[in-house]
Amino acid sequence: MNANAAHHVHDEIAVLDFGSQYTQLIARRLREVGVFSQIYPYHRYQDVLGRPEVKGIVLSGGPSSVSDAGAPDVGDDVLTAGVPILGICYGMQLLAKKLGGRIEASDKREYGPATIHVEDEAGFFHGTPASQGVWMSHGDRVGALPTGFRVIASSESIPYAAAADPDRKFWCVQFHPEVVHTQHGMTLLKNFVRDLCGVSEEWSASMFVDEAISEIREQVGDRKVLCGVSGGVDSTVVAAILDKAIGEQLHTVFVDNGLLRLGEASQVEHSLNGFLHRPILRVDARNQFLNRLEGVAEPERKRKIIGNTFIEVFKSATRDLGDFDFLAQGTLYPDRIESVSVNGPSHVIKTHHNVGGLPAELGFELIEPLKDLFKDEVRRVGRSLDIPDALLMRHPFPGPGLGVRILGAVDRDKVRLLQEADHIYIEELHASGQYTKIWQAGAVLLPVQTVGVMGDQRTYEYAVALRAVTSMDGMTADWARIPNDVLARISNRIINEVPGINRVVYDISSKPPSTIEWE
């Protein structure tokens, strides 16, 4: 949804980001409450001011100390914006400091569960118990409140766990209401949105479809749109929305790069043809990709070769279809946030993340209907479009495919080995009911051969690593606790059924510090 489109302006709660690992979570939780919410880096705070649709502002947490020289700050005009403000953690300290309170360094960082005692509801704690569990994560704390503020909750370790100045529409908390460990966090956010900001409009992912369709029709008119699909959730939902909006004007192209999972190309083609008005164009470019990757080991070079070859193949495949004005992409909200960090452009962790890696010089106008949505919202949109769950609940898969799951040089034999091992892994996750509990899973072929024994003979074959993580949005992730008997069955089957692999290991690293993919 284009939140700025003149005919679809929603009430909004703006989140000013001071670098907290939880900032995205705040926006997602606010949307779950039923209000449209967007994130702005703190230095872009003026983008929020004076917009009538902004009904409230949240100041996020952050890793800095407000007392540090050069600590993230906003102008005083935020304080006179006239809308309710909720300061969370760093946001609380910044608010208190700017309004004349005192900040003190805590003796020690407080991180983890704590119990707070509500002394005054102040509208914020309405409908929650007098004693409740919350999640703390802070070093500094407020030592003296600004004039006009009163304590509304305290804990054993901090006298001002929450404070408010309702007359000036300021509320602040030292804990994190957005994380699941805060028992009544959703109620607190709902109280802020509904009662304190007075937002009555419900915003939901399902409203989004009708709005997106009318916006696409308005943008496209009677012209043609090109859509690259990968079989992943995002591009599938984009294709379904466009198909509903413009039908026969949509041309969908699927490039088989030879780096997909076992049988995936045919499966994707069959699934998409099941609900699109016009058959997808499947381009078999397996040889082109694999020939160029032969012997290339450096990860970034592999990605570039895959990205450039994709563009070449895409261009030549679409040349025969005539001229297009528009290219549709499955860019999501986190893709846009990740590319603008609070302190300016973020470090590039990876390039060509998905089909969205197409460059501007292809000369198309972009259509990005999902650019304001989180992954879980995209799945809800997909359900409202009757896309089968088998497609919607698929784990994310990297754009360069198995090319970045084969560590070291890529060749056809390694692709076959990894496809077979990965197929067994995913099959067993489905069979055991684990697949739906996991955000992303995949096998990784390691560039080492290890000694083993098969029958009476010693073997010297490849090792494969299994990766599986749980996550809400892929920004942070924890390794999945797959039951031992399931892992044992997977390992057994891979070693027995895939000649060339004699060892299976399980990756137990979280993100951060590790990434989800190995390359």
Side-chain angles (χ1 to χ4, degrees):
M1 178 187 317
N2 180 354
N4 302 316
H7 49 304
H8 293 314
V9 174
H10 291 278
D11 284 354
E12 178 186 325
I13 302 292
V15 180
L16 292 183
D17 180 19
F18 292 95
S20 167
Q21 58 176 331
Y22 299 129
T23 301
Q24 279 209 46
L25 198 50
I26 300 170
R28 287 187 59 247
R29 291 282 185 254
L30 288 166
R31 291 187 185 193
E32 283 170 39
V33 166
V35 60
F36 186 65
S37 177
Q38 293 199 94
I39 296 168
Y40 303 83
Y42 70 89
H43 50 79
R44 297 265 300 276
Y45 73 91
Q46 283 173 317
D47 293 359
V48 168
L49 304 179
R51 285 171 43 215
E53 67 272 21
V54 174
K55 305 297 182 193
I57 296 171
V58 175
L59 307 179
S60 86
S64 309
S65 162
V66 292
S67 316
D68 291 348
D73 197 0
V74 289
D76 290 345
D77 40 353
V78 169
L79 308 177
T80 53
V83 297
I85 292 179
L86 171 62
I88 296 175
C89 202
Y90 181 89
M92 173 181 191
Q93 294 156 19
L94 184 65
L95 202 54
K97 180 174 181 251
K98 291 183 83 64
L99 292 163
R102 190 181 81 248
I103 308 302
E104 56 188 32
S106 200
D107 307 338
K108 61 181 190 332
R109 264 187 70 81
E110 187 177 17
Y111 181 81
T115 301
I116 60 164
H117 306 285
V118 177
E119 298 173 26
D120 180 343
E121 278 189 0
F124 187 72
F125 287 105
H126 178 68
T128 65
S131 180
Q132 51 190 277
V134 299
W135 186 259
M136 294 283 187
S137 175
H138 64 95
D140 297 351
R141 63 185 192 190
V142 176
L145 291 174
T147 309
F149 273 77
R150 61 180 195 256
V151 185
I152 57 174
S154 58
S155 74
E156 274 180 33
S157 58
I158 48 174
Y160 309 126
D165 180 347
D167 293 342
R168 288 189 287 174
K169 303 183 185 171
F170 296 137
W171 285 265
C172 46
V173 292
Q174 190 51 76
F175 57 89
H176 287 273
E178 69 276 17
V179 303
V180 289
H181 310 77
T182 294
Q183 288 172 341
H184 300 279
M186 285 299 279
T187 306
L188 303 181
L189 291 175
K190 195 175 284 181
N191 288 344
F192 178 68
V193 168
R194 299 271 174 243
D195 301 342
L196 304 178
C197 297
V199 175
S200 55
E201 179 199 48
E202 281 284 339
W203 184 85
S204 69
S206 53
M207 281 173 66
F208 160 88
V209 176
D210 295 337
E211 296 181 359
I213 286 171
S214 68
E215 284 174 20
I216 288 164
R217 284 177 181 158
E218 191 176 306
Q219 186 180 1
V220 170
D222 57 2
R223 291 172 292 175
K224 292 193 300 184
V225 177
L226 191 57
C227 178
V229 289
S230 62
V233 179
D234 310 331
S235 63
T236 300
V237 172
V238 167
I241 290 172
L242 282 158
D243 186 64
K244 215 172 162 68
I246 57 173
E248 296 281 328
Q249 292 162 251
L250 174 67
H251 291 258
T252 310
V253 179
F254 170 56
V255 175
D256 179 358
N257 60 10
L259 300 165
L260 300 170
R261 289 174 154 159
L262 197 64
E264 187 170 31
S266 301
Q267 195 189 334
V268 166
E269 183 179 21
H270 177 74
S271 303
L272 290 170
N273 281 338
F275 62 81
L276 295 177
H277 279 86
R278 183 198 286 272
I280 69 168
L281 172 64
R282 175 176 166 183
V283 183
D284 184 352
R286 289 174 294 182
N287 283 334
Q288 216 165 325
F289 279 89
L290 293 171
N291 289 344
R292 289 184 185 183
L293 284 169
E294 189 81 38
V296 177
E298 207 271 310
E300 219 24 44
R301 225 185 117 211
K302 280 197 274 190
R303 285 179 179 275
K304 286 206 163 66
I305 288 171
I306 294 167
N308 292 336
T309 308
F310 181 87
I311 290 158
E312 237 175 78
V313 169
F314 198 78
K315 268 176 152 173
S316 64
T318 55
R319 207 169 284 134
D320 303 338
L321 298 173
D323 293 331
F324 288 87
D325 296 293
F326 299 98
L327 177 72
Q329 293 193 156
T331 310
L332 300 194
Y333 194 43
D335 299 332
R336 296 200 295 132
I337 302 167
E338 273 195 317
S339 64
V340 184
S341 75
V342 294
N343 294 312
S346 64
H347 181 69
V348 177
I349 295 172
K350 50 185 177 268
T351 53
H352 188 64
H353 182 55
N354 54 21
V355 177
L358 290 171
E361 63 267 20
L362 278 179
F364 298 109
E365 194 179 322
L366 284 186
I367 294 179
E368 298 176 304
L370 310 179
K371 72 179 185 305
D372 288 327
L373 296 188
F374 289 101
K375 185 71 119 188
D376 51 339
E377 294 173 318
V378 173
R379 288 194 165 116
R380 286 205 290 277
V381 166
R383 270 200 196 96
S384 73
L385 291 163
D386 297 323
I387 296 174
D389 253 20
L391 277 174
L392 282 184
M393 298 316 290
R394 282 185 54 173
H395 291 172
F397 188 63
L402 301 180
V404 291
R405 289 185 179 172
I406 294 169
L407 304 195
V410 176
D411 62 43
R412 285 167 172 76
D413 278 345
K414 288 180 184 170
V415 170
R416 181 189 52 78
L417 277 182
L418 185 54
Q419 280 178 333
E420 290 176 16
D422 184 81
H423 182 69
I424 290 168
Y425 181 26
I426 300 300
E427 194 172 71
E428 287 295 337
L429 289 180
H430 277 295
S432 61
Q434 291 294 311
Y435 187 86
T436 51
K437 299 175 184 173
I438 290 167
W439 165 266
Q440 187 171 343
V444 179
L445 189 69
L446 304 184
V448 290
Q449 288 173 291
T450 72
V451 174
V453 178
M454 295 278 209
D456 295 328
Q457 290 185 309
R458 285 167 74 80
T459 59
Y460 193 57
E461 294 175 338
Y462 285 103
V464 85
L466 306 179
R467 180 71 160 141
V469 296
T470 55
S471 178
M472 292 296 280
D473 47 29
M475 302 291 280
T476 59
D478 192 13
W479 60 277
R481 273 48 170 189
I482 297 174
N484 287 347
D485 59 323
V486 178
L487 285 172
R489 202 159 53 246
I490 293 164
S491 171
N492 237 337
R493 280 194 61 195
I494 290 174
I495 291 168
N496 287 322
E497 295 175 33
V498 186
I501 293 174
N502 68 356
R503 191 176 297 271
V504 175
V505 297
Y506 189 54
D507 179 351
I508 57 168
S509 355
S510 297
K511 174 187 178 180
S514 305
T515 51
I516 296 175
E517 296 295 339
W518 279 42
E519 279 195 348

